Amino acid sequence: MELPMRERRRGSGKKSALDTSESSSRVQAAANRLTVRVGGIRLAWRFILVAVLVALASIIWLSQTSTLVSMGYEIENMQKQKVVLNRQAELLQSQIAQYENPRRIEDEARSKLGMVPAKNSVYVKVPPAQAQAAQETQTNPDLTGPVTVWWRELVEMLPRSFRAGPNTTDNSK
């Protein structure tokens, strides 16, 4: 049995001049296609690179713009808050002035505390602390502890109606 023989492929075995020119033209065509393909790829990469750079620049510009706008709103809100706080401070200052008014204090003392103005004023001369320490302590039988001299002088200056108790003595006689 005979098997059919395959035909020889071109390029296998001996090459003729025609085959060489054909193969060189094929190589040349493949090189041209490869050059066109590589050039297209390079062009595509360049286009992608430019698009990425433009996108990055746009993102940076947008972020800076949005930051400036938000800072402007914050400044405006703080200025409004400053105005409100200044008004509150002025209101508090006026309230303090009202509370410090002597007429108001007198009215409050009369109405809430039931105080009345003093009719008699008594002025007491108090000796300096060093002289007072030298004159100090005489014993009073009515009191349990020592009595200083200036207290006795104070009691003596008061009219009899203000002196407390039946055991007080009048030394001004």
Side-chain angles (χ1 to χ4, degrees):
M1 244 180 105
E2 279 191 47
L3 293 174
M5 301 239 345
R6 290 186 182 174
E7 288 184 6
R8 284 188 178 181
R9 287 187 175 179
R10 291 184 189 172
S12 60
K14 290 186 179 178
K15 292 185 180 179
S16 65
L18 188 44
D19 286 341
T20 314
S21 67
E22 241 181 73
S23 66
S24 68
S25 67
R26 284 185 186 168
V27 169
Q28 186 71 25
N32 285 342
R33 277 185 275 150
L34 185 61
T35 304
V36 169
R37 184 178 281 175
V38 169
I41 291 173
R42 284 183 184 165
L43 181 65
W45 278 109
R46 286 179 184 163
F47 179 74
I48 290 171
L49 181 64
V50 168
V52 167
L53 290 175
V54 168
L56 285 175
S58 299
I59 290 171
I60 291 170
W61 180 77
L62 285 174
S63 69
Q64 287 179 349
T65 303
S66 66
T67 302
L68 287 175
V69 169
S70 65
M71 289 292 179
Y73 285 128
E74 285 182 32
I75 289 171
E76 185 177 331
N77 288 336
M78 287 182 181
Q79 287 174 344
K80 288 178 183 177
Q81 187 178 10
K82 179 184 173 187
V83 168
V84 169
L85 291 175
N86 284 338
R87 287 181 188 162
Q88 288 177 351
E90 290 173 1
L91 178 66
L92 291 173
Q93 290 293 333
S94 68
Q95 286 178 350
I96 288 171
Q98 287 175 352
Y99 288 134
E100 289 178 345
N101 185 359
R103 183 73 182 154
R104 185 195 163 278
I105 293 172
E106 185 178 336
D107 291 342
E108 290 287 324
R110 285 183 186 186
S111 64
K112 291 185 179 178
L113 301 175
M115 298 178 133
V116 293
K119 293 180 182 174
N120 295 332
S121 298
V122 177
Y123 295 98
V124 178
K125 290 184 180 180
V126 179
Q130 295 171 349
Q132 182 180 353
Q135 295 177 353
E136 225 168 87
T137 71
Q138 298 175 359
T139 56
N140 187 349
D142 296 337
L143 300 174
T144 58
V147 177
T148 59
V149 175
W150 69 274
W151 280 108
R152 184 173 293 262
E153 290 175 8
L154 176 65
V155 171
E156 289 173 2
M157 290 177 159
L158 294 173
R160 283 190 155 201
S161 61
F162 288 110
R163 292 185 189 169
N167 296 334
T168 56
T169 58
D170 189 9
N171 295 340
S172 61
K173 292 181 187 178

